[in-house]
């Protein structure tokens, strides 16, 4: 009797807790939709709120058992009307943005057409569609963030002091690994750190080491951008600190992406020495290749073997299997693909695994345990939207990256120099990780990246930046750039 009564009380308590959480979520969403018709953030609330949300949501979700991770999605979809309106207005003044919107609409049009003519189930397709929309909405939300002196100073502080939150938690994980899971849950990756050869793949305040790696890589790139702007020695130390955290995460792709991003920022800042950098990099690369040949050594041989790139008896990796089958699905349902929610994404993972079974995934232990099904990005895009849809998205990302590179190249010595470098580093890190990770669609790991990219795009738009700065500071358009430069100077 008492057991039954206790069970009823516990169940009632959980129901009340979940109901209260649902009411808060719904009321917040309605408030955002109502108030977010004409929103522009000139004080950096979005930047700070998103950053702390990304840092705290992992631990809070694990310790509370509530889906707190969806708080970030709540902000994202709650401000969708304001962000869409802002992007629409900006596109009227920027032909490159109009081109990007056209490519994106064509991509989603192909995906929807493939869903209607393919084998999609309604709920799985809708779930995958909202998931695919997250990164464009994060990018659009970034355009609401006005990058002025205050926001620039806030970003500078985030780069300068985030290690105070990350490093102690990382130290506890290393020194007392039995305590760390009580707050952040069990580490899903039990393998040894392949970068340094000892220790685990540490994750700090996040639930996976991949989040720690890519976020620390962004902070390292931010420290590099600030070093190039200010030339302060402490920023050099921060570059080393955040790079060391990336090493501790054991994530090789994020590490290589960070090295490339740092080199890219240095090349832009010291472009007068670019020819020397190219010569040095070529000589160093040649010496490394010669050394590998002489000692008959293939870097990352096990990983390459699992992808079938070297002659080896190793079994293909999970990502290699997902990738090859994704291309096979695109061939099978050529030219449109199999439709949203059918392969390699969260829609299929949650609601429709039929295609996986038909492809013979039942023989893999990891599939039977529900693991690794969403550990890739491009196989999902290729399979569900076809080769044409995937090509449109690839062109979108190429245009985005090249435009940000050109704007960063031309921004040296201007007030938007730091944010231009930050945006270029952010998009480089995200795209460099797409071969093996869908993190660019996950607000818990990529929200601040897209926020910076969207804000930087707006700040560096031709024929618009001056007017935007004038409205931001309440001065004439002719003196806007001087005002912002003075604000940044005071912040530094």
């Amino acid at each position: 009797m008492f057991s039954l009564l206790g069970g009823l009380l516990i169940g009632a308590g959980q129901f009340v807790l979940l109901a209260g959480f649902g009411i808060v979520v719904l009321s917040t969403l309605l408030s955002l939709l109502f108030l977010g018709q004409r929103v522009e953030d000139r004080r950096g609330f979005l930047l700070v709120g998103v950053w702390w949300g990304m840092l705290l949501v992992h631990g809070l979700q694990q310790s509370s058992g509530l889906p707190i991770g969806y708080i970030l999605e709540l902000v994202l979809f709650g401000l969708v009307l304001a962000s869409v309106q802002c992007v629409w207005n900006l596109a009227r003044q920027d032909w490159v943005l109009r081109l990007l919107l056209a490519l994106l609409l064509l991509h989603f049009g192909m995906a929807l057409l493939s869903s209607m003519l393919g084998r999609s189930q309604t709920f799985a397709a809708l779930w995958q569609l909202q998931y695919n929309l997250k990164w464009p909405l994060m990018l659009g939300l970034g355009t609401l963030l006005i990058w002025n002196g205050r926001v620039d100073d806030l970003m500078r502080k985030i780069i300068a002091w985030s290690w105070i939150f990350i490093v102690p938690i990382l130290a506890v994980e290393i020194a007392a690994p039995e305590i760390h899971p009580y707050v952040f849950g069990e580490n899903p990756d039990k393998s040894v750190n392949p970068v340094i050869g000892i220790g685990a793949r540490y994750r700090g305040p996040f639930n996976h080491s991949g989040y720690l790696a890519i976020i620390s890589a962004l902070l390292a790139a931010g420290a590099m951008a600030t070093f190039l702007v200010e030339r302060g020695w402490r920023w050099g130390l921060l570059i080393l600190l955040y790079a060391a955290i990336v090493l501790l995460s054991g994530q090789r792709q994020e590490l290589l992406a960070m090295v490339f991003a740092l080199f890219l920022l240095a090349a832009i800042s010291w472009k007068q020495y670019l020819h020397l950098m190219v010569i040095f990099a070529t000589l160093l690369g040649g010496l490394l290749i010669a050394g590998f040949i002489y000692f008959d050594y293939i870097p990352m041989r096990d990983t390459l073997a699992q992808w079938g790139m070297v002659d080896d008896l190793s079994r293909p990796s999970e990502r290699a299997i997902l990738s090859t089958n994704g291309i096979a699905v695109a061939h099978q349902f050529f030219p449109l693909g199999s439709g949203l929610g059918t392969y390699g994404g969260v829609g299929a993972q949650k609601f429709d695994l039929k295609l996986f079974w038909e492809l013979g995934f039942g023989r893999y232990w990891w599939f039977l345990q529900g693991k690794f099904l969403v550990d890739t990005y491009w196989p999902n895009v290729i399979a569900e939207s076809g080769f044409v849809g995937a090509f449109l998205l690839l062109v979108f990302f190429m245009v985005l990256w090249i435009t940000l590179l050109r704007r960063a190249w031309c921004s040296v010595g201007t007030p938007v120099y730091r944010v231009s470098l930050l945006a270029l580093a952010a998009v480089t890190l995200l795209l460099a990780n797409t071969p093996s990770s869908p993190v660019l669609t996950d607000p818990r790991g990529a929200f601040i990246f897209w926020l910076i990219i969207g804000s930087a795009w707006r700040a560096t738009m031709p024929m618009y930046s001056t007017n935007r700065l004038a409205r931001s500071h309440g001065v004439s358009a002719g003196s806007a750039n001087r005002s912002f430069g003075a604000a940044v100077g005071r912040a530094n």
Side-chain angles (χ1 to χ4, degrees), residues 186-190 203 207-208:
E186 291 293 330
N187 192 339
D189 192 343
K190 305 295 184 182
R203 55 202 173 106
N207 60 22
H208 193 277

Side-chain angles (χ1 to χ4, degrees), residues 144 156 236 327 337 363 399 403:
L144 298 178
R156 185 177 180 274
I327 295 173
R363 64 183 181 272
V399 172
T403 303

Side-chain angles (χ1 to χ4, degrees), residues 246-278:
V246 177
L247 289 172
L248 289 172
S249 74
Q251 296 294 329
R252 290 168 290 194
Q253 189 159 297
E254 285 82 352
L255 176 63
L256 292 175
M258 180 192 69
V259 172
F260 176 70
L262 295 179
F263 176 81
L264 191 61
L265 299 190
I268 292 172
S269 182
W270 300 320
K271 50 189 172 185
Q272 65 270 31
Y273 306 113
L274 182 59
H275 62 290
L276 296 177
M277 294 184 196
V278 172

Side-chain angles (χ1 to χ4, degrees), residues 426-449:
V427 74
T428 300
L429 291 170
L430 288 177
L431 296 182
N433 278 279
T434 55
S436 66
S437 172
V439 70
L440 88 166
T441 61
D442 188 352
R444 296 173 301 168
F447 207 149
I448 197 168
F449 289 76

Side-chain angles (χ1 to χ4, degrees), residues 80-413:
V80 63
L81 296 180
S83 57
V84 168
Q85 184 183 43
C86 184
V87 171
W88 180 261
N89 291 333
L90 296 181
R92 296 177 181 178
Q93 308 168 61
D94 188 343
W95 72 269
V96 181
L97 185 55
R98 291 196 294 272
L99 173 61
L100 289 176
L101 286 176
L103 290 168
L104 196 62
L105 290 173
L106 285 172
H107 163 73
F108 277 102
M110 291 293 295
L112 292 173
L113 184 62
S114 71
S115 301
M116 290 187 288
L117 301 179
R119 52 178 297 160
S120 296
Q121 295 186 9
T122 303
F123 202 74
L126 289 175
W127 192 267
Q128 187 64 47
L129 177 62
Q130 65 84 27
Y131 185 81
N132 291 351
L133 283 170
K134 287 180 183 179
W135 71 260
L137 291 180
M138 287 187 279
L139 176 60
L141 192 62
T143 62
L144 298 178
L145 179 64
I146 308 298
W147 201 276
N148 51 30
R150 177 183 173 84
V151 175
D152 195 75
D153 183 46
L154 287 173
M155 189 68 234
R156 185 177 180 274
K157 290 175 180 176
I158 287 173
I159 297 166
W161 303 112
S162 290
W163 65 271
I164 294 179
F165 178 80
I166 296 173
V167 170
I169 299 175
L170 190 60
V172 171
E173 184 182 13
I174 296 172
E178 69 281 357
I179 297 176
H180 189 267
Y182 281 107
V183 178
F184 300 99
E186 291 293 330
N187 192 339
D189 192 343
K190 305 295 184 182
S191 59
V192 176
N193 188 321
V195 177
I196 60 179
I198 58 172
R201 284 180 160 177
Y202 298 110
R203 55 202 173 106
F206 309 103
N207 60 22
H208 193 277
S209 59
Y211 292 110
L212 177 67
I214 196 165
I215 289 172
S216 299
L218 178 66
L219 291 170
M224 180 69 171
T226 309
F227 173 78
L228 295 173
V229 172
E230 301 181 18
R231 299 291 195 270
W233 62 269
R234 71 165 175 151
W235 300 107
L237 294 178
L238 283 173
I239 296 171
L240 297 176
L241 175 61
Y242 290 127
I245 296 175
V246 177
L247 289 172
L248 289 172
S249 74
Q251 296 294 329
R252 290 168 290 194
Q253 189 159 297
E254 285 82 352
L255 176 63
L256 292 175
M258 180 192 69
V259 172
F260 176 70
L262 295 179
F263 176 81
L264 191 61
L265 299 190
I268 292 172
S269 182
W270 300 320
K271 50 189 172 185
Q272 65 270 31
Y273 306 113
L274 182 59
H275 62 290
L276 296 177
M277 294 184 196
V278 172
I279 293 173
F280 176 76
T282 304
L283 290 175
L284 181 61
L287 288 174
L288 287 173
I289 293 173
F292 294 152
I293 295 174
Y294 180 79
F295 291 104
D296 193 23
Y297 172 72
I298 300 178
M300 299 173 61
R301 184 186 184 93
D302 293 340
T303 301
L304 295 175
Q306 290 173 352
W307 283 85
M309 296 181 183
V310 295
D311 187 15
D312 197 284
L313 299 178
S314 298
R315 294 180 179 179
S317 68
E318 298 83 4
R319 290 190 178 104
I321 293 170
L322 287 166
S323 299
T324 54
N325 279 277
I327 295 173
V329 170
H331 279 291
Q332 180 182 349
F333 293 92
F334 183 83
L336 294 177
S338 58
L340 294 172
T342 57
Y343 182 86
V346 294
Q349 182 191 39
K350 289 179 177 292
F351 305 108
D352 186 8
L353 293 174
K354 292 179 183 177
L355 187 53
F356 283 97
W357 287 104
E358 292 176 13
L359 293 168
F361 276 75
R363 64 183 181 272
Y364 303 121
W365 66 267
W366 46 270
F367 170 76
L368 298 175
Q369 295 184 14
K371 296 181 177 180
F372 309 118
L373 297 183
V374 291
D375 269 18
T376 56
Y377 180 71
W378 286 108
N380 164 250
V381 176
I382 294 170
E384 293 189 347
S385 61
F387 291 115
V388 176
F391 176 75
L392 289 168
L393 189 59
L394 179 62
V395 174
F396 174 96
F397 286 136
M398 289 175 60
V399 172
L400 178 67
W401 188 85
I402 292 171
T403 303
L404 290 174
L405 172 63
R406 182 181 60 82
R407 292 185 180 182
W409 190 273
C410 298
S411 71
V412 178

